[in-house]
PDB file of all heavy atoms in Angstrom:
ATOM      1  N   SER A   1     -19.806 -12.736 -16.385  1.00  0.00           N
ATOM      2  CA  SER A   1     -21.048 -12.801 -15.550  1.00  0.00           C
ATOM      3  C   SER A   1     -20.712 -12.586 -14.088  1.00  0.00           C
ATOM      4  O   SER A   1     -21.439 -11.931 -13.343  1.00  0.00           O
ATOM      5  CB  SER A   1     -21.746 -14.142 -15.731  1.00  0.00           C
ATOM      6  OG  SER A   1     -22.251 -14.271 -17.033  1.00  0.00           O
ATOM      7  N   THR A   2     -19.588 -13.136 -13.646  1.00  0.00           N
ATOM      8  CA  THR A   2     -19.153 -12.932 -12.269  1.00  0.00           C
ATOM      9  C   THR A   2     -18.854 -11.471 -11.955  1.00  0.00           C
ATOM     10  O   THR A   2     -19.260 -10.933 -10.949  1.00  0.00           O
ATOM     11  CB  THR A   2     -17.854 -13.776 -11.978  1.00  0.00           C
ATOM     12  OG1 THR A   2     -18.195 -15.179 -12.178  1.00  0.00           O
ATOM     13  CG2 THR A   2     -17.373 -13.595 -10.557  1.00  0.00           C
ATOM     14  N   LEU A   3     -18.182 -10.811 -12.911  1.00  0.00           N
ATOM     15  CA  LEU A   3     -17.904  -9.409 -12.741  1.00  0.00           C
ATOM     16  C   LEU A   3     -19.185  -8.571 -12.766  1.00  0.00           C
ATOM     17  O   LEU A   3     -19.305  -7.607 -12.049  1.00  0.00           O
ATOM     18  CB  LEU A   3     -16.922  -8.906 -13.861  1.00  0.00           C
ATOM     19  CG  LEU A   3     -15.517  -9.542 -13.805  1.00  0.00           C
ATOM     20  CD1 LEU A   3     -14.700  -9.034 -14.983  1.00  0.00           C
ATOM     21  CD2 LEU A   3     -14.810  -9.311 -12.519  1.00  0.00           C
ATOM     22  N   GLU A   4     -20.108  -8.977 -13.612  1.00  0.00           N
ATOM     23  CA  GLU A   4     -21.421  -8.320 -13.649  1.00  0.00           C
ATOM     24  C   GLU A   4     -22.137  -8.405 -12.317  1.00  0.00           C
ATOM     25  O   GLU A   4     -22.709  -7.423 -11.825  1.00  0.00           O
ATOM     26  CB  GLU A   4     -22.302  -8.988 -14.750  1.00  0.00           C
ATOM     27  CG  GLU A   4     -23.711  -8.499 -14.821  1.00  0.00           C
ATOM     28  CD  GLU A   4     -23.861  -7.181 -15.566  1.00  0.00           C
ATOM     29  OE1 GLU A   4     -22.874  -6.692 -16.103  1.00  0.00           O
ATOM     30  OE2 GLU A   4     -24.973  -6.613 -15.616  1.00  0.00           O
ATOM     31  N   GLU A   5     -22.093  -9.544 -11.684  1.00  0.00           N
ATOM     32  CA  GLU A   5     -22.709  -9.736 -10.359  1.00  0.00           C
ATOM     33  C   GLU A   5     -22.076  -8.809  -9.320  1.00  0.00           C
ATOM     34  O   GLU A   5     -22.763  -8.254  -8.473  1.00  0.00           O
ATOM     35  CB  GLU A   5     -22.582 -11.183  -9.921  1.00  0.00           C
ATOM     36  CG  GLU A   5     -23.482 -12.158 -10.721  1.00  0.00           C
ATOM     37  CD  GLU A   5     -23.211 -13.595 -10.299  1.00  0.00           C
ATOM     38  OE1 GLU A   5     -22.656 -13.834  -9.223  1.00  0.00           O
ATOM     39  OE2 GLU A   5     -23.569 -14.501 -11.091  1.00  0.00           O
ATOM     40  N   ILE A   6     -20.779  -8.670  -9.413  1.00  0.00           N
ATOM     41  CA  ILE A   6     -20.064  -7.808  -8.468  1.00  0.00           C
ATOM     42  C   ILE A   6     -20.532  -6.369  -8.593  1.00  0.00           C
ATOM     43  O   ILE A   6     -20.831  -5.689  -7.589  1.00  0.00           O
ATOM     44  CB  ILE A   6     -18.543  -7.929  -8.648  1.00  0.00           C
ATOM     45  CG1 ILE A   6     -18.063  -9.310  -8.183  1.00  0.00           C
ATOM     46  CG2 ILE A   6     -17.799  -6.820  -7.890  1.00  0.00           C
ATOM     47  CD1 ILE A   6     -16.684  -9.668  -8.625  1.00  0.00           C
ATOM     48  N   LEU A   7     -20.566  -5.862  -9.826  1.00  0.00           N
ATOM     49  CA  LEU A   7     -21.049  -4.502 -10.048  1.00  0.00           C
ATOM     50  C   LEU A   7     -22.499  -4.341  -9.575  1.00  0.00           C
ATOM     51  O   LEU A   7     -22.860  -3.323  -8.984  1.00  0.00           O
ATOM     52  CB  LEU A   7     -20.954  -4.142 -11.515  1.00  0.00           C
ATOM     53  CG  LEU A   7     -19.527  -3.861 -12.064  1.00  0.00           C
ATOM     54  CD1 LEU A   7     -19.587  -3.631 -13.568  1.00  0.00           C
ATOM     55  CD2 LEU A   7     -18.920  -2.632 -11.375  1.00  0.00           C
ATOM     56  N   GLY A   8     -23.306  -5.347  -9.788  1.00  0.00           N
ATOM     57  CA  GLY A   8     -24.711  -5.318  -9.332  1.00  0.00           C
ATOM     58  C   GLY A   8     -24.818  -5.232  -7.842  1.00  0.00           C
ATOM     59  O   GLY A   8     -25.602  -4.465  -7.304  1.00  0.00           O
ATOM     60  N   CYS A   9     -24.026  -6.051  -7.149  1.00  0.00           N
ATOM     61  CA  CYS A   9     -24.046  -6.035  -5.668  1.00  0.00           C
ATOM     62  C   CYS A   9     -23.538  -4.737  -5.105  1.00  0.00           C
ATOM     63  O   CYS A   9     -24.032  -4.236  -4.107  1.00  0.00           O
ATOM     64  CB  CYS A   9     -23.236  -7.191  -5.133  1.00  0.00           C
ATOM     65  SG  CYS A   9     -23.934  -8.822  -5.454  1.00  0.00           S
ATOM     66  N   GLN A  10     -22.520  -4.159  -5.751  1.00  0.00           N
ATOM     67  CA  GLN A  10     -21.964  -2.912  -5.269  1.00  0.00           C
ATOM     68  C   GLN A  10     -22.890  -1.716  -5.606  1.00  0.00           C
ATOM     69  O   GLN A  10     -22.876  -0.683  -4.889  1.00  0.00           O
ATOM     70  CB  GLN A  10     -20.616  -2.645  -5.932  1.00  0.00           C
ATOM     71  CG  GLN A  10     -19.525  -3.588  -5.525  1.00  0.00           C
ATOM     72  CD  GLN A  10     -18.181  -3.277  -6.211  1.00  0.00           C
ATOM     73  OE1 GLN A  10     -17.188  -3.945  -6.004  1.00  0.00           O
ATOM     74  NE2 GLN A  10     -18.140  -2.228  -7.050  1.00  0.00           N
ATOM     75  N   ASN A  11     -23.625  -1.852  -6.699  1.00  0.00           N
ATOM     76  CA  ASN A  11     -24.480  -0.767  -7.196  1.00  0.00           C
ATOM     77  C   ASN A  11     -23.632   0.495  -7.488  1.00  0.00           C
ATOM     78  O   ASN A  11     -24.008   1.602  -7.103  1.00  0.00           O
ATOM     79  CB  ASN A  11     -25.599  -0.434  -6.206  1.00  0.00           C
ATOM     80  CG  ASN A  11     -26.707   0.434  -6.838  1.00  0.00           C
ATOM     81  OD1 ASN A  11     -26.950   0.336  -8.070  1.00  0.00           O
ATOM     82  ND2 ASN A  11     -27.344   1.219  -6.031  1.00  0.00           N
ATOM     83  N   THR A  12     -22.473   0.299  -8.119  1.00  0.00           N
ATOM     84  CA  THR A  12     -21.607   1.382  -8.500  1.00  0.00           C
ATOM     85  C   THR A  12     -21.192   1.214  -9.951  1.00  0.00           C
ATOM     86  O   THR A  12     -21.262   0.115 -10.508  1.00  0.00           O
ATOM     87  CB  THR A  12     -20.327   1.423  -7.649  1.00  0.00           C
ATOM     88  OG1 THR A  12     -19.637   0.172  -7.820  1.00  0.00           O
ATOM     89  CG2 THR A  12     -20.633   1.636  -6.169  1.00  0.00           C
ATOM     90  N   ILE A  13     -20.808   2.330 -10.592  1.00  0.00           N
ATOM     91  CA  ILE A  13     -20.321   2.256 -11.970  1.00  0.00           C
ATOM     92  C   ILE A  13     -19.007   1.558 -12.064  1.00  0.00           C
ATOM     93  O   ILE A  13     -18.769   0.746 -12.956  1.00  0.00           O
ATOM     94  CB  ILE A  13     -20.223   3.663 -12.588  1.00  0.00           C
ATOM     95  CG1 ILE A  13     -21.615   4.302 -12.708  1.00  0.00           C
ATOM     96  CG2 ILE A  13     -19.537   3.627 -13.966  1.00  0.00           C
ATOM     97  CD1 ILE A  13     -22.523   3.684 -13.722  1.00  0.00           C
ATOM     98  N   PHE A  14     -18.094   1.881 -11.144  1.00  0.00           N
ATOM     99  CA  PHE A  14     -16.713   1.349 -11.203  1.00  0.00           C
ATOM    100  C   PHE A  14     -16.512   0.275 -10.155  1.00  0.00           C
ATOM    101  O   PHE A  14     -17.239   0.212  -9.177  1.00  0.00           O
ATOM    102  CB  PHE A  14     -15.720   2.499 -10.961  1.00  0.00           C
ATOM    103  CG  PHE A  14     -15.832   3.592 -11.990  1.00  0.00           C
ATOM    104  CD1 PHE A  14     -16.455   4.788 -11.678  1.00  0.00           C
ATOM    105  CD2 PHE A  14     -15.311   3.410 -13.249  1.00  0.00           C
ATOM    106  CE1 PHE A  14     -16.572   5.813 -12.620  1.00  0.00           C
ATOM    107  CE2 PHE A  14     -15.426   4.410 -14.228  1.00  0.00           C
ATOM    108  CZ  PHE A  14     -16.061   5.612 -13.914  1.00  0.00           C
ATOM    109  N   PHE A  15     -15.544  -0.562 -10.415  1.00  0.00           N
ATOM    110  CA  PHE A  15     -15.275  -1.684  -9.517  1.00  0.00           C
ATOM    111  C   PHE A  15     -14.722  -1.204  -8.149  1.00  0.00           C
ATOM    112  O   PHE A  15     -14.928  -1.844  -7.142  1.00  0.00           O
ATOM    113  CB  PHE A  15     -14.282  -2.677 -10.138  1.00  0.00           C
ATOM    114  CG  PHE A  15     -14.906  -3.536 -11.195  1.00  0.00           C
ATOM    115  CD1 PHE A  15     -14.850  -3.194 -12.522  1.00  0.00           C
ATOM    116  CD2 PHE A  15     -15.660  -4.647 -10.835  1.00  0.00           C
ATOM    117  CE1 PHE A  15     -15.448  -3.989 -13.493  1.00  0.00           C
ATOM    118  CE2 PHE A  15     -16.264  -5.437 -11.791  1.00  0.00           C
ATOM    119  CZ  PHE A  15     -16.164  -5.085 -13.153  1.00  0.00           C
ATOM    120  N   GLY A  16     -14.088  -0.019  -8.158  1.00  0.00           N
ATOM    121  CA  GLY A  16     -13.569   0.529  -6.919  1.00  0.00           C
ATOM    122  C   GLY A  16     -14.565   1.414  -6.184  1.00  0.00           C
ATOM    123  O   GLY A  16     -14.257   1.886  -5.087  1.00  0.00           O
ATOM    124  N   GLY A  17     -15.725   1.629  -6.766  1.00  0.00           N
ATOM    125  CA  GLY A  17     -16.739   2.507  -6.119  1.00  0.00           C
ATOM    126  C   GLY A  17     -17.304   3.511  -7.103  1.00  0.00           C
ATOM    127  O   GLY A  17     -17.579   3.180  -8.251  1.00  0.00           O
ATOM    128  N   ASP A  18     -17.452   4.768  -6.654  1.00  0.00           N
ATOM    129  CA  ASP A  18     -18.084   5.792  -7.457  1.00  0.00           C
ATOM    130  C   ASP A  18     -17.137   6.476  -8.423  1.00  0.00           C
ATOM    131  O   ASP A  18     -17.573   7.259  -9.263  1.00  0.00           O
ATOM    132  CB  ASP A  18     -18.731   6.821  -6.534  1.00  0.00           C
ATOM    133  CG  ASP A  18     -19.903   6.251  -5.763  1.00  0.00           C
ATOM    134  OD1 ASP A  18     -20.606   5.387  -6.274  1.00  0.00           O
ATOM    135  OD2 ASP A  18     -20.065   6.621  -4.572  1.00  0.00           O
ATOM    136  N   CYS A  19     -15.857   6.236  -8.301  1.00  0.00           N
ATOM    137  CA  CYS A  19     -14.891   6.830  -9.229  1.00  0.00           C
ATOM    138  C   CYS A  19     -13.816   5.780  -9.565  1.00  0.00           C
ATOM    139  O   CYS A  19     -13.690   4.792  -8.893  1.00  0.00           O
ATOM    140  CB  CYS A  19     -14.246   8.106  -8.647  1.00  0.00           C
ATOM    141  SG  CYS A  19     -13.370   7.869  -7.109  1.00  0.00           S
ATOM    142  N   ILE A  20     -13.084   6.079 -10.635  1.00  0.00           N
ATOM    143  CA  ILE A  20     -12.031   5.128 -11.081  1.00  0.00           C
ATOM    144  C   ILE A  20     -10.965   4.999 -10.065  1.00  0.00           C
ATOM    145  O   ILE A  20     -10.536   5.955  -9.458  1.00  0.00           O
ATOM    146  CB  ILE A  20     -11.445   5.619 -12.418  1.00  0.00           C
ATOM    147  CG1 ILE A  20     -12.468   5.482 -13.583  1.00  0.00           C
ATOM    148  CG2 ILE A  20     -10.179   4.840 -12.775  1.00  0.00           C
ATOM    149  CD1 ILE A  20     -11.956   5.965 -14.902  1.00  0.00           C
ATOM    150  N   SER A  21     -10.533   3.733  -9.862  1.00  0.00           N
ATOM    151  CA  SER A  21      -9.419   3.477  -8.960  1.00  0.00           C
ATOM    152  C   SER A  21      -8.501   2.450  -9.573  1.00  0.00           C
ATOM    153  O   SER A  21      -8.675   2.049 -10.744  1.00  0.00           O
ATOM    154  CB  SER A  21      -9.913   3.059  -7.572  1.00  0.00           C
ATOM    155  OG  SER A  21     -10.629   1.831  -7.665  1.00  0.00           O
ATOM    156  N   MET A  22      -7.538   1.983  -8.829  1.00  0.00           N
ATOM    157  CA  MET A  22      -6.532   1.082  -9.346  1.00  0.00           C
ATOM    158  C   MET A  22      -7.133  -0.163 -10.037  1.00  0.00           C
ATOM    159  O   MET A  22      -6.708  -0.531 -11.142  1.00  0.00           O
ATOM    160  CB  MET A  22      -5.587   0.663  -8.207  1.00  0.00           C
ATOM    161  CG  MET A  22      -4.470  -0.294  -8.652  1.00  0.00           C
ATOM    162  SD  MET A  22      -3.302   0.476  -9.817  1.00  0.00           S
ATOM    163  CE  MET A  22      -2.332   1.484  -8.691  1.00  0.00           C
ATOM    164  N   ILE A  23      -8.103  -0.766  -9.400  1.00  0.00           N
ATOM    165  CA  ILE A  23      -8.634  -2.040  -9.922  1.00  0.00           C
ATOM    166  C   ILE A  23      -9.219  -1.836 -11.341  1.00  0.00           C
ATOM    167  O   ILE A  23      -9.114  -2.700 -12.175  1.00  0.00           O
ATOM    168  CB  ILE A  23      -9.660  -2.656  -8.936  1.00  0.00           C
ATOM    169  CG1 ILE A  23      -9.989  -4.077  -9.342  1.00  0.00           C
ATOM    170  CG2 ILE A  23     -10.921  -1.797  -8.833  1.00  0.00           C
ATOM    171  CD1 ILE A  23      -8.839  -5.052  -9.243  1.00  0.00           C
ATOM    172  N   ASP A  24      -9.866  -0.711 -11.570  1.00  0.00           N
ATOM    173  CA  ASP A  24     -10.460  -0.434 -12.887  1.00  0.00           C
ATOM    174  C   ASP A  24      -9.381  -0.354 -13.954  1.00  0.00           C
ATOM    175  O   ASP A  24      -9.530  -0.900 -15.045  1.00  0.00           O
ATOM    176  CB  ASP A  24     -11.272   0.875 -12.866  1.00  0.00           C
ATOM    177  CG  ASP A  24     -12.423   0.808 -11.850  1.00  0.00           C
ATOM    178  OD1 ASP A  24     -13.376   0.067 -12.105  1.00  0.00           O
ATOM    179  OD2 ASP A  24     -12.311   1.460 -10.785  1.00  0.00           O
ATOM    180  N   TYR A  25      -8.280   0.336 -13.631  1.00  0.00           N
ATOM    181  CA  TYR A  25      -7.204   0.438 -14.603  1.00  0.00           C
ATOM    182  C   TYR A  25      -6.535  -0.951 -14.836  1.00  0.00           C
ATOM    183  O   TYR A  25      -6.103  -1.239 -15.953  1.00  0.00           O
ATOM    184  CB  TYR A  25      -6.129   1.441 -14.126  1.00  0.00           C
ATOM    185  CG  TYR A  25      -6.560   2.860 -14.254  1.00  0.00           C
ATOM    186  CD1 TYR A  25      -6.521   3.725 -13.167  1.00  0.00           C
ATOM    187  CD2 TYR A  25      -6.975   3.394 -15.486  1.00  0.00           C
ATOM    188  CE1 TYR A  25      -6.864   5.063 -13.274  1.00  0.00           C
ATOM    189  CE2 TYR A  25      -7.359   4.743 -15.586  1.00  0.00           C
ATOM    190  CZ  TYR A  25      -7.315   5.549 -14.479  1.00  0.00           C
ATOM    191  OH  TYR A  25      -7.671   6.868 -14.619  1.00  0.00           O
ATOM    192  N   LEU A  26      -6.433  -1.746 -13.794  1.00  0.00           N
ATOM    193  CA  LEU A  26      -5.820  -3.070 -13.949  1.00  0.00           C
ATOM    194  C   LEU A  26      -6.660  -3.988 -14.801  1.00  0.00           C
ATOM    195  O   LEU A  26      -6.126  -4.867 -15.522  1.00  0.00           O
ATOM    196  CB  LEU A  26      -5.601  -3.725 -12.573  1.00  0.00           C
ATOM    197  CG  LEU A  26      -4.569  -3.020 -11.660  1.00  0.00           C
ATOM    198  CD1 LEU A  26      -4.459  -3.749 -10.321  1.00  0.00           C
ATOM    199  CD2 LEU A  26      -3.217  -2.914 -12.317  1.00  0.00           C
ATOM    200  N   PHE A  27      -7.980  -3.837 -14.786  1.00  0.00           N
ATOM    201  CA  PHE A  27      -8.868  -4.630 -15.656  1.00  0.00           C
ATOM    202  C   PHE A  27      -8.895  -4.146 -17.106  1.00  0.00           C
ATOM    203  O   PHE A  27      -9.059  -4.944 -18.040  1.00  0.00           O
ATOM    204  CB  PHE A  27     -10.314  -4.559 -15.118  1.00  0.00           C
ATOM    205  CG  PHE A  27     -10.593  -5.368 -13.893  1.00  0.00           C
ATOM    206  CD1 PHE A  27      -9.638  -6.128 -13.270  1.00  0.00           C
ATOM    207  CD2 PHE A  27     -11.898  -5.374 -13.348  1.00  0.00           C
ATOM    208  CE1 PHE A  27      -9.929  -6.864 -12.101  1.00  0.00           C
ATOM    209  CE2 PHE A  27     -12.192  -6.122 -12.202  1.00  0.00           C
ATOM    210  CZ  PHE A  27     -11.244  -6.848 -11.579  1.00  0.00           C
ATOM    211  N   TRP A  28      -8.802  -2.831 -17.282  1.00  0.00           N
ATOM    212  CA  TRP A  28      -9.193  -2.229 -18.554  1.00  0.00           C
ATOM    213  C   TRP A  28      -8.510  -2.746 -19.805  1.00  0.00           C
ATOM    214  O   TRP A  28      -9.195  -2.907 -20.842  1.00  0.00           O
ATOM    215  CB  TRP A  28      -8.999  -0.673 -18.474  1.00  0.00           C
ATOM    216  CG  TRP A  28      -9.301  -0.052 -19.823  1.00  0.00           C
ATOM    217  CD1 TRP A  28      -8.415   0.550 -20.660  1.00  0.00           C
ATOM    218  CD2 TRP A  28     -10.552  -0.033 -20.462  1.00  0.00           C
ATOM    219  NE1 TRP A  28      -9.070   0.962 -21.796  1.00  0.00           N
ATOM    220  CE2 TRP A  28     -10.386   0.620 -21.713  1.00  0.00           C
ATOM    221  CE3 TRP A  28     -11.853  -0.473 -20.123  1.00  0.00           C
ATOM    222  CZ2 TRP A  28     -11.433   0.822 -22.600  1.00  0.00           C
ATOM    223  CZ3 TRP A  28     -12.901  -0.249 -21.022  1.00  0.00           C
ATOM    224  CH2 TRP A  28     -12.690   0.365 -22.247  1.00  0.00           C
ATOM    225  N   PRO A  29      -7.212  -2.971 -19.875  1.00  0.00           N
ATOM    226  CA  PRO A  29      -6.594  -3.346 -21.129  1.00  0.00           C
ATOM    227  C   PRO A  29      -7.231  -4.498 -21.873  1.00  0.00           C
ATOM    228  O   PRO A  29      -7.327  -4.528 -23.128  1.00  0.00           O
ATOM    229  CB  PRO A  29      -5.157  -3.667 -20.752  1.00  0.00           C
ATOM    230  CG  PRO A  29      -4.909  -2.785 -19.574  1.00  0.00           C
ATOM    231  CD  PRO A  29      -6.192  -2.810 -18.803  1.00  0.00           C
ATOM    232  N   TRP A  30      -7.760  -5.465 -21.146  1.00  0.00           N
ATOM    233  CA  TRP A  30      -8.382  -6.636 -21.838  1.00  0.00           C
ATOM    234  C   TRP A  30      -9.771  -6.284 -22.373  1.00  0.00           C
ATOM    235  O   TRP A  30     -10.174  -6.863 -23.377  1.00  0.00           O
ATOM    236  CB  TRP A  30      -8.439  -7.814 -20.833  1.00  0.00           C
ATOM    237  CG  TRP A  30      -7.049  -8.377 -20.680  1.00  0.00           C
ATOM    238  CD1 TRP A  30      -6.460  -9.361 -21.446  1.00  0.00           C
ATOM    239  CD2 TRP A  30      -6.059  -7.903 -19.764  1.00  0.00           C
ATOM    240  NE1 TRP A  30      -5.174  -9.548 -21.036  1.00  0.00           N
ATOM    241  CE2 TRP A  30      -4.855  -8.663 -20.033  1.00  0.00           C
ATOM    242  CE3 TRP A  30      -6.004  -6.947 -18.775  1.00  0.00           C
ATOM    243  CZ2 TRP A  30      -3.687  -8.499 -19.301  1.00  0.00           C
ATOM    244  CZ3 TRP A  30      -4.838  -6.764 -18.070  1.00  0.00           C
ATOM    245  CH2 TRP A  30      -3.698  -7.540 -18.332  1.00  0.00           C
ATOM    246  N   PHE A  31     -10.471  -5.361 -21.740  1.00  0.00           N
ATOM    247  CA  PHE A  31     -11.750  -4.924 -22.260  1.00  0.00           C
ATOM    248  C   PHE A  31     -11.589  -4.039 -23.477  1.00  0.00           C
ATOM    249  O   PHE A  31     -12.389  -4.121 -24.417  1.00  0.00           O
ATOM    250  CB  PHE A  31     -12.573  -4.226 -21.175  1.00  0.00           C
ATOM    251  CG  PHE A  31     -13.080  -5.180 -20.134  1.00  0.00           C
ATOM    252  CD1 PHE A  31     -12.351  -5.424 -18.967  1.00  0.00           C
ATOM    253  CD2 PHE A  31     -14.260  -5.864 -20.332  1.00  0.00           C
ATOM    254  CE1 PHE A  31     -12.814  -6.340 -18.026  1.00  0.00           C
ATOM    255  CE2 PHE A  31     -14.732  -6.770 -19.388  1.00  0.00           C
ATOM    256  CZ  PHE A  31     -13.993  -7.035 -18.234  1.00  0.00           C
ATOM    257  N   GLU A  32     -10.562  -3.215 -23.517  1.00  0.00           N
ATOM    258  CA  GLU A  32     -10.270  -2.408 -24.675  1.00  0.00           C
ATOM    259  C   GLU A  32     -10.022  -3.311 -25.897  1.00  0.00           C
ATOM    260  O   GLU A  32     -10.342  -2.919 -27.035  1.00  0.00           O
ATOM    261  CB  GLU A  32      -9.082  -1.493 -24.427  1.00  0.00           C
ATOM    262  CG  GLU A  32      -8.827  -0.543 -25.604  1.00  0.00           C
ATOM    263  CD  GLU A  32      -7.737   0.462 -25.317  1.00  0.00           C
ATOM    264  OE1 GLU A  32      -7.747   1.044 -24.223  1.00  0.00           O
ATOM    265  OE2 GLU A  32      -6.848   0.658 -26.162  1.00  0.00           O
ATOM    266  N   ARG A  33      -9.475  -4.483 -25.685  1.00  0.00           N
ATOM    267  CA  ARG A  33      -9.107  -5.349 -26.780  1.00  0.00           C
ATOM    268  C   ARG A  33     -10.226  -6.309 -27.259  1.00  0.00           C
ATOM    269  O   ARG A  33     -10.067  -7.003 -28.258  1.00  0.00           O
ATOM    270  CB  ARG A  33      -7.880  -6.197 -26.344  1.00  0.00           C
ATOM    271  CG  ARG A  33      -6.590  -5.374 -26.364  1.00  0.00           C
ATOM    272  CD  ARG A  33      -5.527  -5.980 -25.441  1.00  0.00           C
ATOM    273  NE  ARG A  33      -4.271  -5.227 -25.566  1.00  0.00           N
ATOM    274  CZ  ARG A  33      -4.085  -3.991 -25.070  1.00  0.00           C
ATOM    275  NH1 ARG A  33      -5.057  -3.406 -24.410  1.00  0.00           N
ATOM    276  NH2 ARG A  33      -2.927  -3.409 -25.226  1.00  0.00           N
ATOM    277  N   LEU A  34     -11.369  -6.318 -26.587  1.00  0.00           N
ATOM    278  CA  LEU A  34     -12.432  -7.260 -26.960  1.00  0.00           C
ATOM    279  C   LEU A  34     -12.852  -7.099 -28.431  1.00  0.00           C
ATOM    280  O   LEU A  34     -13.009  -8.061 -29.167  1.00  0.00           O
ATOM    281  CB  LEU A  34     -13.636  -7.113 -26.065  1.00  0.00           C
ATOM    282  CG  LEU A  34     -13.481  -7.503 -24.586  1.00  0.00           C
ATOM    283  CD1 LEU A  34     -14.788  -7.297 -23.818  1.00  0.00           C
ATOM    284  CD2 LEU A  34     -13.013  -8.959 -24.484  1.00  0.00           C
ATOM    285  N   ASP A  35     -13.035  -5.862 -28.869  1.00  0.00           N
ATOM    286  CA  ASP A  35     -13.504  -5.601 -30.200  1.00  0.00           C
ATOM    287  C   ASP A  35     -12.468  -6.017 -31.239  1.00  0.00           C
ATOM    288  O   ASP A  35     -12.753  -6.748 -32.205  1.00  0.00           O
ATOM    289  CB  ASP A  35     -13.861  -4.121 -30.371  1.00  0.00           C
ATOM    290  CG  ASP A  35     -14.479  -3.819 -31.735  1.00  0.00           C
ATOM    291  OD1 ASP A  35     -15.125  -4.721 -32.291  1.00  0.00           O
ATOM    292  OD2 ASP A  35     -14.298  -2.708 -32.236  1.00  0.00           O
ATOM    293  N   VAL A  36     -11.218  -5.554 -31.041  1.00  0.00           N
ATOM    294  CA  VAL A  36     -10.194  -5.898 -32.011  1.00  0.00           C
ATOM    295  C   VAL A  36      -9.859  -7.369 -32.027  1.00  0.00           C
ATOM    296  O   VAL A  36      -9.443  -7.929 -33.045  1.00  0.00           O
ATOM    297  CB  VAL A  36      -8.911  -5.019 -31.788  1.00  0.00           C
ATOM    298  CG1 VAL A  36      -8.130  -5.511 -30.590  1.00  0.00           C
ATOM    299  CG2 VAL A  36      -8.071  -4.949 -33.022  1.00  0.00           C
ATOM    300  N   TYR A  37     -10.059  -8.057 -30.916  1.00  0.00           N
ATOM    301  CA  TYR A  37      -9.850  -9.509 -30.872  1.00  0.00           C
ATOM    302  C   TYR A  37     -11.026 -10.281 -31.468  1.00  0.00           C
ATOM    303  O   TYR A  37     -10.899 -11.518 -31.722  1.00  0.00           O
ATOM    304  CB  TYR A  37      -9.701  -9.975 -29.423  1.00  0.00           C
ATOM    305  CG  TYR A  37      -8.338  -9.719 -28.783  1.00  0.00           C
ATOM    306  CD1 TYR A  37      -7.397  -8.883 -29.398  1.00  0.00           C
ATOM    307  CD2 TYR A  37      -8.040 -10.275 -27.550  1.00  0.00           C
ATOM    308  CE1 TYR A  37      -6.163  -8.642 -28.826  1.00  0.00           C
ATOM    309  CE2 TYR A  37      -6.792 -10.012 -26.947  1.00  0.00           C
ATOM    310  CZ  TYR A  37      -5.871  -9.219 -27.574  1.00  0.00           C
ATOM    311  OH  TYR A  37      -4.666  -8.964 -26.970  1.00  0.00           O
ATOM    312  N   GLY A  38     -12.106  -9.608 -31.732  1.00  0.00           N
ATOM    313  CA  GLY A  38     -13.294 -10.252 -32.315  1.00  0.00           C
ATOM    314  C   GLY A  38     -14.193 -10.967 -31.338  1.00  0.00           C
ATOM    315  O   GLY A  38     -14.944 -11.883 -31.701  1.00  0.00           O
ATOM    316  N   ILE A  39     -14.159 -10.527 -30.074  1.00  0.00           N
ATOM    317  CA  ILE A  39     -14.946 -11.238 -29.050  1.00  0.00           C
ATOM    318  C   ILE A  39     -15.797 -10.259 -28.199  1.00  0.00           C
ATOM    319  O   ILE A  39     -16.110 -10.483 -27.068  1.00  0.00           O
ATOM    320  CB  ILE A  39     -14.030 -12.067 -28.093  1.00  0.00           C
ATOM    321  CG1 ILE A  39     -12.857 -11.238 -27.560  1.00  0.00           C
ATOM    322  CG2 ILE A  39     -13.524 -13.313 -28.833  1.00  0.00           C
ATOM    323  CD1 ILE A  39     -11.985 -11.973 -26.573  1.00  0.00           C
ATOM    324  N   ALA A  40     -16.203  -9.129 -28.861  1.00  0.00           N
ATOM    325  CA  ALA A  40     -17.016  -8.153 -28.139  1.00  0.00           C
ATOM    326  C   ALA A  40     -18.371  -8.716 -27.804  1.00  0.00           C
ATOM    327  O   ALA A  40     -19.029  -8.202 -26.870  1.00  0.00           O
ATOM    328  CB  ALA A  40     -17.176  -6.881 -28.974  1.00  0.00           C
ATOM    329  N   ASP A  41     -18.804  -9.760 -28.504  1.00  0.00           N
ATOM    330  CA  ASP A  41     -20.089 -10.363 -28.163  1.00  0.00           C
ATOM    331  C   ASP A  41     -20.121 -11.098 -26.809  1.00  0.00           C
ATOM    332  O   ASP A  41     -21.181 -11.486 -26.342  1.00  0.00           O
ATOM    333  CB  ASP A  41     -20.514 -11.350 -29.274  1.00  0.00           C
ATOM    334  CG  ASP A  41     -19.505 -12.466 -29.524  1.00  0.00           C
ATOM    335  OD1 ASP A  41     -18.295 -12.236 -29.283  1.00  0.00           O
ATOM    336  OD2 ASP A  41     -19.936 -13.550 -29.969  1.00  0.00           O
ATOM    337  N   CYS A  42     -18.970 -11.179 -26.182  1.00  0.00           N
ATOM    338  CA  CYS A  42     -18.891 -11.857 -24.869  1.00  0.00           C
ATOM    339  C   CYS A  42     -19.384 -11.002 -23.721  1.00  0.00           C
ATOM    340  O   CYS A  42     -19.490 -11.490 -22.608  1.00  0.00           O
ATOM    341  CB  CYS A  42     -17.484 -12.334 -24.625  1.00  0.00           C
ATOM    342  SG  CYS A  42     -16.940 -13.719 -25.640  1.00  0.00           S
TER     343      CYS A  42
END
């Protein structure tokens, strides 16, 4: 929810702005694993 608020305040697709940057790649591995971990409903 906190990350959702940040994206909402920025009004951008990516956390770094309008295109992918370092922060997006640093976050990504845990989101890729949500489904296989069984917690995609989060």
Side-chain angles (χ1 to χ4, degrees):
S1 292
T2 300
L3 297 178
E4 175 79 5
E5 290 175 17
I6 290 165
L7 286 174
C9 290
Q10 292 181 180
N11 196 29
T12 59
I13 293 292
F14 299 103
F15 284 96
D18 294 324
C19 60
I20 289 179
S21 63
M22 180 65 76
I23 192 67
D24 300 288
Y25 286 126
L26 294 180
F27 285 1
W28 176 249
W30 287 270
F31 287 93
E32 183 175 314
R33 286 157 175 73
L34 292 181
D35 185 31
V36 76
Y37 283 10
I39 51 176
D41 57 332
C42 289

